[in-house]
Amino acid sequence: MVDVLTGTFTVKTGHAQMLKGGVIMDVVNREQAEIAAESGAVAVMALERVPADIRADGGVARMTDPGIIQEIMNAVSIPVMAKCRIGHFVEAQVLEAIGVDYIDESEVLTPADEVHHVWKHEFNVPFVCGCRNLGEALRRISEGATMIRTKGEAGTGDVVEAVTHMRAVQDAIRKLQTMPDDELVVEARDLQVSLDLLMQTKEQGRLPVVNFAAGGVATPADAALMMQLGADGVFVGSGIFKSGNPVERGHAIVQAVTHYNDPKIIAEVSKGLGEAMVGISARSIPEKDLLAPRSL
Amino acid sequence: MEVGVLAVQGDFAEHIATLKGLGVEAREVKLPQHLDSVEGLIIPGGESTTLSRLMTLYDLREPVRSMAAKGMALWGTCAGMIMLAMEITEEDPVPLGLMDIGVHRNAYGRQVDSFEQDLSVPCFGSEPFHGVFIRAPMVNRLGEGVEVLASLPDGEPVAVQQDNLMATSFHPELTNDPRFHRHFLDLVPVVAN
């Protein structure tokens, strides 16, 4: 009898590898999911409210109604992701039970645990988690995340935090590559990460799992910027369905991610897209209302 | 010899790394002009609906079809297998219609059902090949002249070849085993003349 293995690190990270060079779009219903698939999204994130609305509404943001998620799963053939609150392992169990393809343990929802994240190793379904720097990324991987996204500041349409976090991760990896091995133990201590993972990151010269950019991407040029900074792909949350022309904008962002090194194509797809989402400057948000610092 | 890897979306970098490890020049193919110098092409894993749309949008379908018809070696992994098929069970994506197989997308289930399993590949000898299946497609029709290179224990074909065309429903590029890449490269010289 040949062993059949499911829920392995390889199939979890491998699924994220298949999403590379693609755009994952937030959708709140069946119609939006179909538009996202039609515009070339590699996956959708099924939500009750996009981050811009979560931010505007305030209150406690929780996992989406499983019925809504299932409706979206039935509507499209591309992978469907869904968010659980940080540390809320029962929401994660529920999402696994309905068969979502990836769980985002997300700071966009109100954290359920201010100390611990979900122990993701024991799930068959893979997890993506946010990070602002290399330490956060490697801690999430230690807990079993098999895909990382830089956090940015969701629901703003302001790309500045996405850039800050991507640069922080990339800079830390570049620093690691020139660091002598005898300094790695201290570096691991400072970053609060395992030495093994740190050595692996140094050796590979990149995060050991796929790393997407997220949080504030609103235009094709924003998306290409994140790709040129080293992202493997892009999450677009509120940026598409809070804009004037979601179909065209979604389609344009998909093309900008594929051709991120070709400014002529980015120029072409950026024409006539209408209003981008209104946006709020991430710097104008009071510290207590920022989403990114919610989990460390 | 230069081999192209369709690079509009998906795990093309993994294929390129494996090819380079074998000492082969590999290039990303995002636009039709990138096909000019290639003697073989790999369509990687990815999201087949996305690959299909971007191939249409950037006029890659016809050149790939005509080059394959003239004998260019062409290999599709997972989403790439879907693109090579003659027909699929859904309306979307639209395959290239090159290999005489029918394919059912995501037939093994969703991501929680993705699996790893050792495969017997008779043309590689007795050493099994480690198959990594991610939301994998299933071959549900085999045309005449399509050779089965590997099957699951229940007999479902997962690696198939028809002359210069090869398709695998799993991902050799996610392993460190280059035997399928070597097998593919063996199909390339046919093109050279």
Side-chain angles (χ1 to χ4, degrees), chain B residues 100-122:
Chain B
D100 193 11
I101 54 171
V103 169
H104 184 184
R105 281 176 74 213
N106 304 332
Y108 295 94
R110 302 192 72 99
Q111 170 59 19
V112 287
D113 307 304
S114 291
F115 62 100
E116 296 181 59
Q117 184 168 3
D118 278 342
L119 302 169
S120 151
V121 189

Side-chain angles (χ1 to χ4, degrees), chain A residues 107-154:
Chain A
E107 73 284 358
V108 170
L109 304 185
T110 311
D113 190 323
E114 295 185 318
V115 181
H116 303 290
H117 281 69
V118 173
W119 182 247
K120 295 167 271 288
H121 291 287
E122 64 185 22
F123 286 80
N124 248 347
V125 62
F127 283 73
V128 55
C129 286
C131 79
R132 295 181 303 168
N133 51 50
L134 182 61
E136 283 185 29
L138 296 184
R139 284 197 293 281
R140 298 296 86 78
I141 294 168
S142 293
E143 296 154 1
T146 47
M147 177 177 181
I148 292 292
R149 55 175 174 76
T150 47
K151 286 176 177 170
E153 189 59 28

Side-chain angles (χ1 to χ4, degrees), chain A residues 204-223:
Chain A
Q204 294 180 14
R206 57 155 296 141
L207 284 183
V209 303
V210 165
N211 182 25
F212 271 45
V217 175
T219 69
D222 286 349

Side-chain angles (χ1 to χ4, degrees), chain B residues 4-55:
Chain B
V5 182
L6 186 74
V8 296
Q9 192 273 316
D11 73 336
F12 51 88
E14 287 78 350
H15 274 293
I16 288 173
T18 307
L19 290 169
K20 288 190 170 161
L22 294 172
V24 175
E25 280 186 54
R27 73 167 301 170
E28 294 183 1
V29 173
K30 292 180 194 254
L31 295 169
Q33 58 264 37
H34 301 156
L35 286 165
D36 288 350
S37 56
V38 307
E39 296 168 87
L41 180 72
I42 298 175
I43 302 182
E47 177 46 47
S48 57
T49 56
T50 305
L51 297 182
S52 166
R53 277 167 183 69
L54 289 166
M55 285 192 82

Side-chain angles (χ1 to χ4, degrees), chain A residues 194-241:
Chain A
S194 90
L195 179 61
D196 277 356
L197 262 183
L198 196 68
M199 292 182 83
Q200 204 183 322
T201 306
K202 178 182 175 181
E203 197 176 314
Q204 294 180 14
R206 57 155 296 141
L207 284 183
V209 303
V210 165
N211 182 25
F212 271 45
V217 175
T219 69
D222 286 349
L225 172 67
M226 299 317 300
M227 294 298 289
Q228 288 197 24
L229 285 171
D232 292 317
V234 175
F235 282 90
V236 185
S238 320
I240 291 173
F241 290 101

Side-chain angles (χ1 to χ4, degrees), chain A residues 5-6 8 10-11 14-15 17-21 37-38 40-42 77-79 99 101 255 258-259 265, chain B residues 8-11 14 30 46-47 49-50 53-54 57-58 105-106 110-111 114-118 134-135 171 174:
Chain A
L5 307 168
T6 59
T8 60
T10 299
V11 299
H15 183 26
Q17 284 167 280
M18 299 312 137
L19 303 172
K20 289 199 300 181
E38 191 52 49
V42 290
S77 64
I78 61 179
D101 295 296
Q255 294 173 65
T258 294
H259 299 285
I265 291 181
Chain B
V8 296
Q9 192 273 316
D11 73 336
E14 287 78 350
K30 292 180 194 254
E47 177 46 47
T49 56
T50 305
R53 277 167 183 69
L54 289 166
L57 205 55
Y58 287 91
R105 281 176 74 213
N106 304 332
R110 302 192 72 99
Q111 170 59 19
S114 291
F115 62 100
E116 296 181 59
Q117 184 168 3
D118 278 342
I134 295 172
R135 287 173 47 101
H171 295 281
L174 296 185

Side-chain angles (χ1 to χ4, degrees), chain A residues 51-71:
Chain A
D53 290 334
I54 291 174
R55 190 178 282 287
D57 295 349
V60 176
R62 310 179 179 91
M63 174 185 79
T64 298
D65 180 334
I68 295 179
I69 299 170
Q70 278 179 313
E71 213 173 281

